[in-house]
Amino acid sequence: MDRRAFLRAVGPATAVGLAGCIGGRSANTDYDVGMGAKVFRPQELRVEPGTTVTWLNTSKQGHTVTAYEDTLPEGADFFASGGFESEQAARDAWGNSSDGTLFEGQSFEHTFEVRGEYPYFCIPHERGGMVGTVVVTDDPETTEE
Ligand SMILES: [Cu+2]
């Protein structure tokens, strides 16, 4: 079983539109982390180094995917929807003009090379608890470290 297929298999049973899926994978179903009203699903995703993770806004609300810069593993790249280079830049841009927002059906990707834990959040729903973690590990199929 390939890695992405495994991740989908253990991921959220989120209902998404099925139009256009006949005979293959549509863009709307090919994602690793979905989004509810104020939640990332799954909240924790475990992947091997080198994995490209795709987030898809499967809700009607606008969200962001924004890394907590201060807690990134050493040597890891910052990531944020909108392509900002720092957490502060992402927060400022969202505050000024909602830049970096993923609207319904929009996706964001990041490739994780460095092992470790990557907490991230949604800027407008951070206070509502919309946070998640990507764990990059050589052994993604267990939940014990
Ligand atoms: Cu959100």
Side-chain angles (χ1 to χ4, degrees):
M1 187 183 261
D2 79 68
R3 186 168 63 226
R4 293 180 65 85
F6 169 76
L7 291 170
R8 274 194 304 280
V10 299
T14 305
V16 296
L18 293 176
C21 290
I22 297 165
R25 304 194 312 198
S26 80
N28 267 354
T29 59
D30 191 15
Y31 64 92
D32 303 299
V33 182
M35 301 175 200
K38 290 187 180 176
V39 66
F40 293 106
R41 297 190 182 113
Q43 281 196 316
E44 181 181 292
L45 180 72
R46 300 172 64 86
V47 299
E48 293 177 356
T51 302
T52 297
V53 172
T54 301
W55 285 262
L56 176 71
N57 188 349
T58 49
S59 77
K60 305 233 182 260
Q61 290 76 24
H63 298 293
T64 75
V65 173
T66 309
Y68 281 114
E69 188 169 6
D70 291 345
T71 56
L72 291 174
E74 194 172 337
D77 292 333
F78 177 76
F79 61 94
S81 55
F84 304 104
E85 299 201 342
S86 71
E87 181 184 330
Q88 194 58 54
R91 288 183 186 276
D92 290 348
W94 189 87
N96 290 335
S97 53
S98 298
D99 279 2
T101 300
L102 298 173
F103 296 99
E104 183 179 9
Q106 293 185 320
S107 61
F108 170 72
E109 285 186 354
H110 181 72
T111 300
F112 291 86
E113 303 287 0
V114 179
R115 290 167 186 78
E117 296 194 12
Y118 295 72
Y120 64 92
F121 65 105
C122 165
I123 294 171
H125 301 124
E126 180 183 18
R127 287 189 196 173
M130 188 166 176
V131 298
T133 306
V134 175
V135 180
V136 180
T137 170
D138 292 320
D139 191 13
E141 298 191 25
T142 63
T143 54
E144 301 295 318
E145 286 292 282

